[in-house]
Amino acid sequence: MPRANAAPARPGVTLLVATRKGLWTLRSDAKRRDWAIAGPQFLGHNVHHAVADPRDARVVLAAARTGHLGPTIFRSRDGGRKFAEAGTPPAFRQGGGRTVDHTFWLTPGHASQPGTWYAGTSPQGLFRSTDGGATWTGVEGFNEHPQRRAWCGGDQDGTPDGPKLHSILVDPRDADHLYIAMSSGGVFESIDGGAGWRPLNRGVRADFMPDPDPEYGHDPHCVRFAGGNPDRLYQQNHCGIFRLDRPGAVWTDIGAPMPKTVGYVGFPLVAHPTDPNTLWICPMDGTDVWPRVSPGGKPAVYRSRNGGKRWQRLAEGFPQAQAWWTIKRQAMTSDRGDPVGLYLGTTSGEVWASRDEGDSWRCVARNLPAIQAVEVG
Amino acid sequence: MTAHRTMEAATTVVVRIPSPLRSYTAGAAEVEVAIPVLAPELPPTLAGVLAAVEQQHRGLRFRIVDEQGKVRPHIKLFVGLEATRDLATPVPAGQDVMIVAALSGG
């Protein structure tokens, strides 16, 4: 809920487009038809994630790692016009031997905790700010957990540009109920505000491991709450697509109905903001050496309207051939319009938008640097 | 250049700043910092110089030195003409400190 002193809502949609070389902003008209681009901000900085605060429309945080320089977080209190650097960016405990390479993920805290934010880093670390992003401290219940090394593996393990902690979810009903996901490591849950954690991976395949059904060590790519139902989680994983209905603790495979020629691997997953049965994924080629591009060079989004029982291919407007897109896990999102608008950004620097829940798509920006994240501002 | 002139209880060191870090120094290519001198035979160290830089230009040090006290991978530090990654390196009288962003990237 915006504060009383929040900036008045403007018609249309604002997108924060975080790229490997800076931050751009796209703004639409009220019909989401025409778009204008502004920026860059932080030109030359590697911006991994830029997120607006749903509790205070003036606040925007951006996580950056700048070429030769170490990682930091910038924060704006005027809707993204000016940014100031965090006084104490996320950093591991001195003497502990670990070093934050970059902050990968930002999540605003619970509505009842206005200044609270969470940050996930590479290598895997969880950090919290209670002052709107000015100072950050480690969530030591995770970072110093005696099992952390077993859960996460070594800091050199995992994805090619470093293992990551992402998909930090705060239960809208309970500020102390948190989920995190790690590539690698799996999904973990805390019910005490981050003091204690337990793995939550049963039913999720890990066919790259000696034991294909381990307790942890999985590779979730993106985990989201179902819209309007925080008792349901959706997960795009290295090994498939899964759904979990709490209080159950065993994930259900919902990727099996995907066409075999397309597969069930991808990075982003977007849940409909209000319909718990609707979600979208964006498959990437997971065969052979894991090219992670649109299968066959034919980009498509897949939508399910029934919680993953069936999937529908959506590609109207996309190139029909020779389009080898990679879409990272933060680079696809939705607005709260009716019908819902969808947005995705490619590592080849294009932003595509749909204002009909994915039925048709239009390119609204091109020639940007590699896009790492797209969020509605 | 007035590098490292000794005063009563402090010495000053000139620190040369590469362009990626000049947002912290209001665009200045070099800054001068005062370092307390405990004894004439104990010159300041690189760590002391960077701590003094941090006092004047908050946030700069963490961009080049990580939380475990190690110089970040693509940063080079020179004391005079000598490259070092050891923050315990003494900074003798008359020597500048130069921070270099290594020529890499893409």
Side-chain angles (χ1 to χ4, degrees):
Chain A
M1 177 73 77
R3 291 178 186 166
N5 57 0
R10 284 177 295 196
V13 172
T14 299
L15 298 178
L16 300 169
V17 182
T19 83
R20 193 166 170 272
K21 298 287 185 177
L23 175 67
W24 277 261
T25 303
L26 289 170
R27 292 195 178 91
S28 81
D29 62 357
K31 294 181 176 177
R32 300 175 293 182
R33 184 195 307 272
D34 297 321
W35 292 81
I37 191 165
Q41 292 170 294
F42 308 115
L43 182 62
H45 297 237
N46 188 349
V47 184
H48 284 94
H49 208 186
V51 178
D53 191 339
R55 302 158 299 182
D56 183 343
R58 300 169 304 171
V59 175
V60 178
L61 264 57
R65 187 188 196 289
T66 309
H68 304 71
L69 308 180
T72 194
I73 288 178
F74 296 97
R75 57 202 180 90
S76 171
R77 298 195 59 80
D78 61 3
R81 292 176 187 85
K82 293 180 190 168
F83 284 83
E85 186 175 355
T88 309
F92 289 115
R93 176 177 58 82
Q94 285 182 15
R98 305 181 77 213
T99 303
V100 171
D101 182 80
H102 59 275
T103 294
F104 181 70
W105 188 280
L106 295 165
T107 290
H110 193 268
S112 68
Q113 299 173 336
T116 295
W117 284 76
Y118 290 93
T121 62
S122 173
Q124 301 98 324
L126 181 62
F127 295 85
R128 178 162 38 210
S129 171
T130 57
D131 58 8
T135 59
W136 295 82
T137 54
V139 178
E140 304 301 14
F142 177 77
N143 294 349
E144 301 296 329
H145 195 287
Q147 285 285 96
R148 184 199 57 78
R149 175 65 192 245
W151 291 341
C152 301
D155 291 350
Q156 301 303 313
D157 299 352
T159 49
D161 56 345
K164 303 179 187 317
L165 192 151
H166 57 86
S167 301
I168 305 164
L169 304 179
V170 181
D171 190 331
R173 303 160 301 186
D174 179 359
D176 287 337
H177 186 204
L178 308 171
Y179 297 97
I180 58 173
M182 293 181 290
S183 309
S184 56
V187 176
F188 289 75
E189 178 184 30
S190 174
I191 57 172
D192 53 14
W197 294 87
R198 61 191 175 211
L200 190 62
N201 299 296
R202 287 295 178 212
V204 179
R205 284 188 302 279
D207 53 22
F208 52 89
M209 299 276 279
D211 173 3
D213 187 22
E215 187 180 10
Y216 47 78
H218 300 70
D219 187 9
H221 288 174
C222 189
V223 180
R224 303 283 187 190
F225 283 126
N229 179 10
D231 278 332
R232 171 174 284 187
L233 298 171
Y234 290 115
Q235 175 180 170
Q236 172 68 72
N237 186 284
H238 177 100
C239 297
I241 313 161
F242 300 88
R243 187 186 74 220
L244 175 62
D245 290 297
R246 309 304 312 273
V250 180
W251 295 79
T252 300
D253 181 359
I254 58 171
M258 286 289 291
K260 295 290 181 285
T261 53
V262 173
Y264 43 61
V265 180
F267 289 105
L269 185 153
V270 175
H272 191 285
T274 56
D275 174 8
N277 289 317
T278 295
L279 69 156
W280 296 265
I281 57 163
C282 199
M284 303 281 122
D285 188 339
T287 62
D288 192 35
V289 295
W290 306 344
R292 304 295 194 239
V293 293
S294 308
K298 299 175 180 177
V301 165
Y302 280 74
R303 178 178 63 203
S304 176
R305 293 284 197 194
N306 46 28
K309 292 189 180 72
R310 288 183 303 280
W311 295 93
Q312 179 184 6
R313 186 174 194 272
L314 308 170
E316 185 182 329
F318 286 153
Q320 298 302 299
Q322 291 293 350
W324 305 94
W325 292 357
T326 298
I327 299 156
K328 295 197 166 185
R329 71 196 81 197
Q330 301 104 313
M332 185 172 173
T333 192
S334 70
D335 62 25
R336 301 185 66 85
D338 183 15
V340 167
L342 292 174
Y343 310 95
L344 63 82
T346 70
T347 57
S348 35
E350 295 180 353
V351 180
W352 288 74
S354 167
R355 50 187 190 144
D356 52 15
E357 308 208 345
D359 288 341
S360 63
W361 293 82
R362 198 161 62 90
C363 184
V364 298
R366 53 170 53 96
N367 302 320
L368 293 171
I371 293 171
Q372 321 218 75
V374 177
E375 297 282 359
V376 171
Chain B
M1 190 180 299
T2 56
H4 209 293
R5 42 170 206 278
T6 304
M7 299 186 297
E8 280 185 14
T11 185
T12 58
V13 177
V14 170
V15 181
R16 296 163 70 183
I17 307 294
S19 67
L21 286 169
R22 290 179 195 162
S23 62
Y24 294 88
T25 61
E30 58 182 46
V31 299
E32 205 171 78
V33 290
I35 314 291
V37 176
L38 301 176
E41 67 277 17
L42 287 176
T45 64
L46 200 45
V49 171
L50 293 182
V53 171
E54 176 66 16
Q55 285 290 317
Q56 292 182 24
H57 307 285
R58 293 282 183 189
L60 189 153
R61 183 180 183 279
F62 188 65
R63 305 307 297 277
I64 59 171
V65 178
D66 70 29
E67 58 265 57
Q68 306 307 334
K70 290 185 178 169
V71 179
R72 295 192 184 277
H74 302 292
I75 294 293
K76 278 188 166 183
L77 299 174
F78 286 83
V79 175
L81 298 176
E82 296 296 320
T84 180
R85 302 186 68 78
D86 181 0
L87 296 184
T89 301
V91 181
Q95 298 290 316
D96 289 357
V97 168
M98 185 169 181
I99 304 170
V100 174
L103 301 178
S104 63

